[in-house]
Amino acid sequence: SLFILAAGLLLTYCGLLSPRLIFQITLNLALGYLVFSVYLSVMRPSGIGETHFRIPRDELQAKRNSMRYLWLPLLPLIMLSTKAVVEPSTLGNDVIGQVLTLVLLGLTAYLIFPISRARIKGEASMQKSLVAMALALAPVALIVLVGLGYYYTALKLTGRLIESFYLLIIWGLVYRTALRGLELAARRLAYRRAVAKREHKSQEDAEGGETIEEQPMDLEEVSQQSLRLTRIMLLLVFGVAFYWLWSDLVAIFSYLDSMVLWHKSEGTGANAVLFPISLSDVLIGLLLLGGALSLARNLPGLLEVLVLSRLNLAQGTAYAITTMLNYVLIGVGSLVALSMMGVQWDKLQWVAGGLSVGIGFGMKEILSNFVSGIIILFERPVRIGDTVTIGTFSGTVSKIRIRATTLTDFDRKEVIIPNQQLMTERLINWSLSDTITRVIVKVGVAYGSDLELTRKLLNQAAMENSRVLKDPEPIVYFLTFGPSTLDHELRFFVSELGDRNPAIDELNRRIDVLFREHGIEIAFNQMDVYIKNMQGEEQKVESRPALPPAENPSA
């Protein structure tokens, strides 16, 4: 491309032709050669198309063969279309140019037809099939225009169609590059999650439920949201570029601007000014509203892959960011769309007042839950992944929505708690600022047991356990004289919630072994039973060892 530009610069200073014509032709030729050379380089065997874009070798070879010769007739057509734009007065008696244009358009149609037929017969979508059919019919339509005498129009449209073809090629390369980038980002995210899951595996208890690890978005959902949002953004960008390319030839929006639907007034009295609201304003407002809803729906996945997964955020922060961003996008999009349609908020104050009264009486609970959800996201007394207890329910916070918060209990059941209850009722958050918690193991020994040995064995069992923290150290208390037992409590701390039940299980087993080895009896409830007859005689029921069968008198 640089050699073409250098040759054009040399011809410009030679003075053989118009400098403006030479400059435009050189610039357009360099642009065309650049686009085709990059495309062919990407599609070469063992190139980027095969190694990164995962295009099958057969399909890759077919695309390269079909595009290898297409640029040959397009370069002369670029020169003729550029001459038609710069010097249209020279086309009146240009018979040679008309014949050459017909031959080049026929050759282009011959080269494009196999490409379009393969695309239509393949497993392409309806959109891709329509684009392929339009590409196949475009040279034929231009030939018809030249035959009917519209030579200038045909050359003008030829230049725009070639530039549109460039856009399609660039769209394909950029889209595949974006997909490849999202694939690599999703792969890195999956690897990080696998490592984090392996590191947190020890935090799960015997029931497999007590873990404070934040529940991330599903990878499949992340990939789908990222893919949809990327496709929408690229379509928007290339749609704007395509319209800018054809804007001087397409007058549809100017026609829509002339279709006034209603007027909006700004100011009061004699200073009031009427502004027309056309059909194009309404359509733009609807497009903005649809774009805001689409962004709110698909943005969390893209943020998770590209931004949030790279930041060392506190637990629950990523969820709060994406949720509040969804609310802001929907709110701002709705306000801008209604403003484009001419809605004036000062005219709706009485309606808003009536609605507020209706909301106050009829939707009091829903509005209260919504406000509570906003407070939860900002104040963060409860975060995604926290283990909480509210009332009789305990579990891990898995979702915080507009109306309610979802808890996943230790039986894997989902409990829906209204947000208002989280703000007004007594709530225990086991992992808000610190995951260290105290555990109490109660042991009752029989009367007459050695109390100092009991204390020593309980301390020994606690110090031998790896889940029990040594700072603060375990403590043993002899608290009460029970009806049948001397009640002791072993109090100790664990670093993670997932260690509570496993620590209790391990300590109980170890205490039982130590007590049996040292003759300490773990007592049970005892009761003396007396039988009294009608004459007032009493007899205490005592246990006696059973006699052997041979000595049993009743045998």
Side-chain angles (χ1 to χ4, degrees):
S1 300
L2 293 178
F3 278 113
I4 294 176
L5 290 175
L9 184 62
L10 181 61
L11 291 175
T12 300
Y13 282 101
C14 289
L16 298 177
L17 295 173
S18 169
R20 181 165 175 259
L21 177 61
I22 293 296
F23 175 76
Q24 289 294 333
I25 289 177
T26 303
L27 188 62
N28 291 337
L29 287 177
L31 177 62
Y33 185 81
L34 178 64
V35 172
F36 275 95
S37 61
V38 169
Y39 184 82
L40 293 176
S41 299
V42 170
M43 295 300 173
R44 72 175 185 270
S46 302
I48 295 178
E50 182 177 355
T51 56
H52 285 279
F53 296 162
R54 301 291 193 270
I55 302 177
R57 181 177 289 268
D58 297 338
E59 180 182 353
L60 198 67
Q61 190 64 33
K63 287 185 176 182
R64 182 177 172 84
N65 292 336
S66 60
M67 295 291 292
R68 181 181 299 175
Y69 304 105
L70 182 60
W71 66 278
L72 294 176
L74 289 183
L75 291 182
L77 285 175
I78 291 173
M79 299 173 64
L80 291 173
S81 63
T82 305
K83 185 174 183 297
V85 173
V86 177
E87 297 180 354
S89 59
T90 60
L91 302 179
N93 299 318
D94 190 7
V95 179
I96 298 177
Q98 295 182 19
V99 174
L100 183 60
T101 301
L102 289 174
V103 173
L104 293 174
L105 289 174
L107 183 59
T108 303
Y110 174 76
L111 294 174
I112 287 181
F113 182 74
I115 304 174
S116 302
R117 182 178 62 181
R119 179 62 62 88
I120 294 173
K121 287 185 177 181
E123 298 180 356
S125 61
M126 179 63 68
Q127 179 183 0
K128 294 181 179 179
S129 299
L130 291 177
V131 172
M133 189 179 300
L135 287 176
L137 295 178
V140 179
L142 294 176
I143 291 173
V144 173
L145 286 177
V146 175
L148 294 176
Y150 298 99
Y151 182 44
Y152 171 76
T153 303
L155 290 179
K156 184 80 171 178
L157 293 176
T158 298
R160 297 305 169 86
L161 288 174
I162 292 174
E163 293 171 354
S164 302
F165 189 61
Y166 296 164
L167 275 181
L168 291 178
I169 294 177
I170 296 173
W171 154 265
L173 295 178
V174 172
Y175 180 68
R176 290 181 182 275
T177 303
L179 292 186
R180 177 61 173 168
L182 290 176
E183 177 188 353
L184 295 177
R187 184 182 299 175
R188 287 193 294 267
L189 179 59
Y191 176 76
R192 294 193 191 100
R193 289 186 179 179
V195 173
K197 184 177 181 181
R198 184 175 59 189
E199 293 176 351
H200 288 83
K201 189 175 181 180
S202 60
Q203 297 180 3
E204 298 182 357
D205 61 353
E207 291 79 14
E210 292 188 359
T211 176
I212 61 168
E213 181 182 0
E214 181 177 354
Q215 299 297 323
M217 296 180 63
D218 182 64
L219 274 177
E220 183 67 24
E221 182 182 359
V222 168
S223 301
Q224 292 298 324
Q225 290 184 359
S226 304
L227 182 61
R228 285 196 299 266
L229 187 58
T230 302
R231 186 183 291 115
I232 291 172
M233 295 300 295
L234 289 178
L235 283 174
L236 180 62
V237 171
F238 280 91
V240 172
F242 191 80
Y243 175 73
W244 173 78
L245 185 62
W246 291 85
S247 59
D248 58 339
L249 300 179
V250 180
I252 182 172
F253 277 97
S254 61
Y255 175 72
L256 294 178
D257 287 335
S258 63
M259 298 179 62
V260 178
L261 301 180
W262 57 78
H263 292 79
K264 69 172 182 179
S265 61
E266 294 187 1
T268 57
N271 296 325
V273 179
L274 294 177
F275 291 94
I277 303 299
S278 62
L279 182 58
S280 64
D281 296 329
V282 175
L283 292 178
I284 293 174
L286 293 176
L287 288 175
L288 290 175
L289 180 60
L293 294 177
S294 179
L295 282 176
R297 179 183 177 187
N298 301 304
L299 191 59
L302 191 62
L303 286 177
E304 181 79 14
V305 171
L306 299 181
V307 181
L308 300 180
S309 63
R310 303 174 183 270
L311 302 178
N312 188 18
L313 299 176
Q315 181 169 290
T317 304
Y319 184 85
I321 291 174
T322 55
T323 303
M324 293 307 304
L325 190 58
N326 284 348
Y327 295 161
V328 170
L329 286 173
I330 294 176
V332 173
S334 301
L335 292 177
V336 173
L338 292 176
S339 177
M340 290 292 298
M341 297 178 188
V343 176
Q344 296 175 277
W345 299 108
D346 56 347
K347 301 294 182 61
L348 298 177
Q349 55 184 349
W350 299 109
V351 178
L355 287 177
S356 62
V357 174
I359 290 174
F361 286 99
M363 303 180 65
K364 177 182 177 180
E365 298 297 329
I366 296 177
L367 185 61
S368 177
N369 289 327
F370 173 74
V371 175
S372 299
I374 298 293
I375 295 174
I376 289 173
L377 289 174
F378 274 107
E379 188 177 321
R380 298 175 64 203
V382 176
R383 305 162 302 182
I384 297 295
D386 283 351
T387 300
V388 300
T389 298
I390 178 170
T392 59
F393 299 104
S394 297
T396 303
V397 179
S398 57
K399 296 178 183 178
I400 301 177
R401 299 302 187 193
I402 294 178
R403 189 191 67 83
T405 297
T406 302
L407 300 183
T408 303
D409 67 4
F410 305 134
D411 295 328
R412 297 295 183 182
K413 298 191 300 292
E414 291 187 339
V415 183
I416 309 300
I417 306 294
N419 291 330
Q420 185 180 5
Q421 294 186 13
L422 298 178
M423 301 300 300
T424 57
E425 295 188 8
R426 180 174 298 176
L427 175 80
I428 300 175
N429 192 330
W430 296 85
S431 56
L432 180 60
S433 59
D434 193 359
T435 59
I436 297 178
T437 54
R438 190 181 70 171
V439 183
I440 298 177
V441 175
K442 297 181 179 181
V443 180
V445 299
Y447 276 84
S449 301
D450 189 341
L451 297 183
E452 289 302 322
L453 181 58
T454 301
R455 181 192 299 271
K456 178 181 178 182
L457 294 178
L458 290 176
N459 271 321
Q460 178 183 345
M463 298 302 291
E464 290 177 354
N465 193 283
S466 60
R467 301 180 188 271
V468 177
L469 293 179
K470 307 308 182 284
D471 184 18
E473 63 181 8
I475 301 177
V476 178
Y477 289 110
F478 171 37
L479 296 179
T480 59
F481 292 91
S484 305
T485 60
L486 304 175
D487 296 330
H488 292 70
E489 284 189 3
L490 171 59
R491 301 179 180 181
F492 59 92
F493 291 86
V494 294
S495 60
E496 302 291 343
L497 293 178
D499 290 336
R500 291 176 63 87
N501 285 349
I504 293 174
D505 174 74
E506 295 168 2
L507 283 175
N508 283 335
R509 295 175 185 273
R510 182 57 179 163
I511 290 171
D512 180 67
V513 172
L514 291 175
F515 278 15
R516 281 191 283 106
E517 290 178 353
H518 293 81
I520 302 295
E521 179 184 355
I522 298 178
F524 51 87
N525 290 335
Q526 301 178 11
M527 182 180 297
D528 293 334
V529 179
Y530 292 85
I531 298 177
K532 184 176 182 180
N533 58 16
M534 298 299 295
Q535 288 75 28
E537 298 176 347
E538 294 182 353
Q539 178 66 42
K540 183 179 179 180
V541 179
E542 297 180 355
S543 61
R544 296 177 181 176
L547 295 177
E551 301 178 4
N552 194 342
S554 62

